[in-house]
Structures are given as structure tokens and as C-alpha cells.
């Protein structure tokens, strides 16, 4: 279906992709992984035909239909949902052409074209498209949204769902998905998983969601942050991680053993050279001519042995010392201050005076508890968090946040971050750290000396997330409010976040669709927000099981 040979791409002096080669056949599902900035999005854009490579060959079989989902769908305008989906899938255009050609069937050329268009229309299941469109939207949790709803009125999560629905409905042969899970709630994520497992389309997906990758892909494409080349491995994502850990350990051990052998050989070289020097300098007496000759011959032999050993070292296949990025460690200690530490909501109504509202709701978060909030996109999870953190005034009821609580607030879109100050200025204004401590703190969160003087507005979403975590660390916050914290983080940062959550002693209020993170967080209580009502459930696994069963039922209708 697709073949890539020695593809290259650079931006000025910066090499992004180097000698990228791979092939992909029908139905193959591949994860494209690598650190942030290694060129994953660039590679997808080149395959999608949105960017040109600087060299190499890209071969795509004739007639292959490609569907590309960028990280930012960018859906704007007053187009209705149904009109958008019919246009993107190509149904409207095909129906119009069928209608025009049906009146000109006396022409053999027109008749052939009519049959071709009709065949394509049937391939897209055009006669049943409206029903399939409703099923697809239901799978993404949009069954209650009017199809006449304008795109511009949708939330970012809803736009992502509609964009995905359009791609999946157009009968593509190759799916290129760049972080498709970022703006999906858990039921929609499970629906996408099951759809991808069932479809015969090939797929290259960039995602940080390990459960998603484990369930969908059977091959891993890894872009190396050092060489900018591609490594291909078979198996699930968990298999890949295990293999990489073993490979790293083996390379480290092989390097250590070779360095020991080189040191031993160099020691022998020094010994033989010393022997040669002593033999060459030996003088003796006139009566010791025979012994002098023997000493000099042995010196020459020692010199030859030293050269032989040196040559042996030079001809070794040198094992490269592994250049690893140091693991990111998030050091976050919850500082307990004087004052109350619990949080209570009593008959709270949240939302906007002339618009969306949820509640009334009542619940309590004891200090040190870990509470998860589940729910569909648009159900009001972020609204609830904003109300608890006083970003949004409540419309009724009472909120009691303990006077000893110090909140670290990481909202989904990092709305609290100013864009026109530098990282250094931002941290300095909000902490009591000295200049050298500011540099050290930012360095611990993977910001170098050049980056700390950049404006926050130049950071990627992942960079902004790391900056907020650096702030929380400096402030020793004792309550974390996390709204989809895994969005845009690379796998190294994700691992650090998970490890931090395990050891963190403060209160955690978490909204997330990442099942791996939810397991690591060891939640004490889980609530589902639906139709303005907050309901406690046994655990998040029950919520997942319900979503999986619903996805299976809907897939049978497609």
C-alpha cells in the first residue's frame, strides 16, 4: 500500500528526519513513537501529502484514500455537523454527480463514468450513510447533539470527535492519526479502539496512551532523538517497552565489558613497551655481547607484541556508549501548613448565569484522598474543577476549601499561564527561589539555559505542562487539581508524572481518560458527572466495562 525509502527532512541546519524507510500493508496498525520534537508530526504530514520531503522516495499505491487527523482539528465556520460529514465523506459530491450523469446515459463515456461513480457511492454505503453517520456519532458520545448544530459552537473535544467521525466515514485505506486520544473522553476512546481493531484500513497512530496502543497496534515505528532515523519492531507497545529495556541493559553491559577488555589490553601494551624500552637501553659489558643481543631481540619482540595488541584494539567493532536522555524526575512534596485541609461542596450549582449549569452537588474530599471525576466531553468536568479552584464563581450552594490548602491547578488548556513572560520570570514571580535555584529547578524539568529565557507562548503544550509541574514543585503544593494532565506529554514525562502520583502525599482531584494513569493514581473515590448529576461509582473499571459493552453493541450496527 505504501513504501518509504530513505526519506529526509530538514529545517535549515536542523535535521528532523534522516534515511526513513518502511512499508505498510493493508490492515496493518502501527504506533509511531519518539520523544517530543523528533519529527513524528512531520512524517505524518509528508505521508499525507501536506509537506514535501527533502529527499528519498514515497510510493503510495494508486487509488489509496488517506485520512489525516492533525492534533488541532481546526474546525471552524457555520457549517452544520451533518453537512460537514457528508462533504468530508464525499457523499454530497457523489450524489450530485450521479444525478447529473443519470440524464446523460446515452453517451458511452458518460455511462461508464456513471457506473464508476455509482460503484464508489455503493462502496461508501451511500444509501445507508445517514444511519451510519448517526451510529458513528453515537459511538463518540454525540447522539444528543442536533445534526444541525454548527461546528463553531462545538467544544474542542466535540470538534475532535466530529473530525474523527468524518475521516472514519469516508472509507479511507490509510489512517494517519496524530494524538487522536487527546480530546476524547473514555467512552469515545474505547469506541475508537474497537473501530480501529475492526477496520481493514492501515493505520499509523501517534499517541501517548499505552492502553490504547496495546489494544490497537502490532508494530512500532520509533524515531530516534539522536540519529533521527527509524527503528521498526514487531509486537505490542508493552512488548516494545520490555524489549527496549532489555536492549538498553544489554548494550550497557556489552559496553562495560568491552571497556574492561580495552583497559586490560592497554595495560599489556604499556607493559610490553616498558619491556622494550628496558631491553633497548641495556648495555652490559664487552663480555656480555651475547646477552646484550638477547636483551635487544626480546625488546624488539615486546615492541612487536605491543603493536599487535594496539592493532587488535583498533580493529575492534567498538560498542557505542549509550547516550541516554536523563530520566525526568518530578519531585513534589506536599507541605502541610496550619489550618483546615479538607474540601467540601454543599449543594453547589456550577456553570454560567445565562448558560450551561450543573448541580446541585454535594461531596467531600478529605486531605490525602485521591478522587477521580469521569464523564463525557461537555458534561461539565472542567466547569466543576474551575468552581472548586475559584476560577469560576458558583451559582449556588457552598464551597469550603480548607485554609491550609495550597492548590496546584493544571487545567486542560493550561489557561492559567501567561504567554508574554519568560519561564524564568514566571517562576521568579511566583516563588521565593534565588536565581541559581530557579535555573536548577527548571533544569530538573528538562529546560536548558536557552529555553528558560524564552516566552511561555513559544512552548509546546507539553512544555507548558512541565513548567506548571516545576511551579508546583517549587511551591510544595498540597492539593493537585489535574484536568487531563497526560495530554501532550511525551512518554518520559508521563512516566515521571505517574511515579510522582504514587509517592505524592497530598490531595489529588483528577480528570483523565488515561487508564494506565488512573490505575497508577490508586483512586480512593470515583464519580461520574452526567446530565448535571454527580454520582459515585464503585471504581473506574466499572465505568470502563460499561463503555466497552456499549462500543461493541454499536459496532454491530455499522
Amino acid at each position: 500500500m505504501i513504501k518509504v525509502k530513505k526519506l529526509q527532512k530538514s529545517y535549515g541546519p536542523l535535521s528532523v528526519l534522516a534515511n526513513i524507510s518502511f512499508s505498510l500493508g493493508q490492515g496493518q496498525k502501527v504506533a509511531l513513537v519518539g520523544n517530543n520534537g523528533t519529527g513524528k508530526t512531520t512524517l505524518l504530514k509528508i505521508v499525507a501529502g501536506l509537506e514535501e520531503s527533502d529527499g528519498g522516495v514515497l510510493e503510495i499505491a494508486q487509488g489509496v484514500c488517506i485520512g489525516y487527523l492533525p492534533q488541532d482539528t481546526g474546525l471552524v465556520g457555520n457549517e452544520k455537523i451533518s453537512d460537514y460529514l457528508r462533504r468530508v465523506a464525499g457523499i454530497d459530491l457523489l450524489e450530485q454527480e450521479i444525478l447529473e450523469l443519470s440524464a446523460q446515459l446515452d453517451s458511452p463515456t458518460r455511462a461508464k463514468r456513471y457506473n464508476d461513480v455509482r460503484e464508489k457511492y455503493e462502496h461508501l454505503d451511500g444509501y445507508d450513510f445517514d444511519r451510519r453517520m448517526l451510529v458513528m456519532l453515537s459511538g463518540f458520545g454525540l447522539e444528543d447533539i442536533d445534526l444541525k448544530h454548527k461546528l463553531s459552537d462545538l467544544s474542542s473535544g466535540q470538534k475532535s470527535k466530529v473530525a474523527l467521525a468524518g475521516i472514519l466515514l469516508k472509507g479511507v485505506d490509510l489512517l494517519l492519526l496524530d494524538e487522536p486520544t487527546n480530546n476524547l473522553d473514555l467512552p469515545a476512546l474505547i469506541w475508537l479502539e474497537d473501530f480501529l481493531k475492526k477496520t481493514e484500513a492501515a493505520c499509523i497512530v501517534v499517541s501517548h496512551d499505552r492502553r490504547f496502543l496495546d489494544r490497537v497496534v502490532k508494530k512500532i515505528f520509533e524515531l530516534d532523538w539522536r540519529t533521527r532515523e527509524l527503528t521498526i519492531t514487531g509486537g505490542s507497545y508493552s512488548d516494545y517497552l520490555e524489549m527496549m529495556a532489555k536492549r538498553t541493559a544489554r548494550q550497557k553491559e556489552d559496553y562495560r565489558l568491552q571497556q574492561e577488555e580495552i583497559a586490560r589490553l592497554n595495560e599489556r601494551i604499556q607493559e610490553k613497551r616498558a619491556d622494550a624500552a628496558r631491553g633497548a637501553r641495556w648495555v652490559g659489558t664487552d663480555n656480555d655481547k651475547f646477552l646484550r643481543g638477547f636483551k635487544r631481540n626480546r625488546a624488539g619482540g615486546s615492541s612487536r607484541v605491543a603493536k599487535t595488541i594496539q592493532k587488535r584494539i583498533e580493529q575492534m567493532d567498538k560498542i557505542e556508549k549509550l547516550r541516554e536522555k536523563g530520566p525526568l524526575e518530578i519531585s513534589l512534596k506536599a507541605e502541610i501548613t496550619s489550618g483546615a485541609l479538607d474540601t467540601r461542596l454543599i449543594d453547589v450549582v456550577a456553570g454560567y448565569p445565562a448558560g450551561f449549569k450543573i448541580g446541585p452537588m454535594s461531596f467531600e474530599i478529605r486531605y490525602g484522598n485521591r478522587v477521580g471525576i469521569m464523564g463525557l466531553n461537555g458534561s461539565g468536568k472542567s466547569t466543576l474543577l474551575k468552581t472548586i479552584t475559584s476560577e469560576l464563581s458558583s451559582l449556588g450552594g457552598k464551597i469550603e476549601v480548607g485554609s491550609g490548602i495550597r492548590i496546584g491547578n493544571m487545567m486542560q488548556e493550561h489557561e492559567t499561564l501567561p504567554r508574554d513572560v519568560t519561564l524564568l520570570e514566571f517562576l521568579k514571580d511566583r516563588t521565593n527561589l534565588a536565581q541559581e535555584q530557579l535555573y536548577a529547578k527548571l533544569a530538573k524539568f528538562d529546560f536548558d539555559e536557552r529555553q528558560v529565557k524564552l516566552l511561555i507562548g513559544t512552548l509546546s503544550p507539553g512544555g507548558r505542562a512541565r513548567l506548571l509541574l516545576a511551579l508546583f514543585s517549587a511551591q510544595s503544593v498540597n492539593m493537585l487539581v489535574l484536568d487531563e494532565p497526560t495530554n501532550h506529554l511525551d512518554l518520559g514525562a508521563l512516566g515521571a508524572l505517574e511515579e510522582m502520583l504514587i509517592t505524592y502525599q497530598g490531595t489529588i482531584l483528577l480528570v483523565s481518560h488515561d487508564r494506565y494513569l488512573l490505575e497508577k493514581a490508586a483512586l480512593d473515590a470515583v464519580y461520574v458527572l452526567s446530565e448535571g448529576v454527580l454520582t459515585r461509582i464503585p471504581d473506574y473499571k466499572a465505568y470502563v466495562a460499561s463503555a466497552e459493552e456499549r462500543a461493541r453493541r454499536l459496532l454491530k450496527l455499522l
Side-chain angles (χ1 to χ4, degrees), residues 398-419:
K398 187 177 181 182
I399 300 174
E400 298 176 351
V401 177
S403 59
I405 287 291
R406 186 181 297 164
I407 294 177
N409 181 12
M410 184 184 285
M411 294 307 292
Q412 187 171 358
E413 301 297 337
H414 309 133
E415 298 159 352
T416 57
L417 282 174
R419 300 298 197 261

Side-chain angles (χ1 to χ4, degrees), residues 356-377:
F356 178 77
K357 295 183 182 67
I358 53 174
M361 298 169 287
S362 298
F363 72 101
E364 181 180 27
I365 307 173
R366 303 296 298 273
Y367 181 73
N369 278 4
R370 296 155 176 253
V371 176
I373 308 290
M374 306 290 188
L376 299 178
N377 285 351

Side-chain angles (χ1 to χ4, degrees), residues 386-400:
K386 286 179 180 180
T387 305
I388 292 173
T389 58
S390 299
E391 283 188 61
L392 196 63
S393 298
S394 66
L395 301 178
K398 187 177 181 182
I399 300 174
E400 298 176 351

Side-chain angles (χ1 to χ4, degrees), residues 185-196:
D185 46 52
L186 196 45
L189 175 57
I190 290 169
W191 163 256
L192 178 62
E193 280 178 359
D194 288 348
F195 183 92
L196 293 178

Side-chain angles (χ1 to χ4, degrees), residues 27-130:
Q28 288 187 312
K29 310 297 190 301
V30 172
L32 179 60
V33 303
N35 292 340
N36 285 351
T38 52
K40 301 185 295 293
T41 294
T42 300
L43 181 56
L44 291 187
K45 286 183 176 180
I46 290 173
V47 175
L50 300 175
E51 282 198 24
E52 293 287 336
S53 67
D54 296 332
V57 178
L58 171 62
E59 297 177 356
I60 300 176
Q62 187 174 2
V64 167
C65 178
I66 297 177
Y68 170 63
L69 180 78
Q71 287 190 39
D72 181 9
T73 57
L75 295 187
V76 293
N78 294 323
E79 194 172 14
K80 298 173 185 175
I81 293 174
S82 57
D83 292 343
Y84 169 81
L85 292 175
R86 291 179 64 84
R87 176 176 63 79
V88 168
I91 292 296
D92 274 351
L93 193 60
L94 290 172
E95 286 180 345
Q96 182 181 343
E97 194 168 2
I98 287 172
L99 183 63
E100 291 173 355
L101 291 169
S102 62
Q104 307 170 27
L105 295 180
D106 52 337
S107 164
T109 304
R110 297 281 184 175
K112 183 181 182 306
R113 175 61 183 167
Y114 175 83
N115 289 330
D116 291 343
V117 174
R118 189 75 172 263
E119 183 179 334
K120 187 173 182 180
Y121 186 74
E122 291 174 355
H123 172 71
L124 290 177
D125 211 359
Y127 296 107
D128 197 31
F129 183 82
D130 287 345

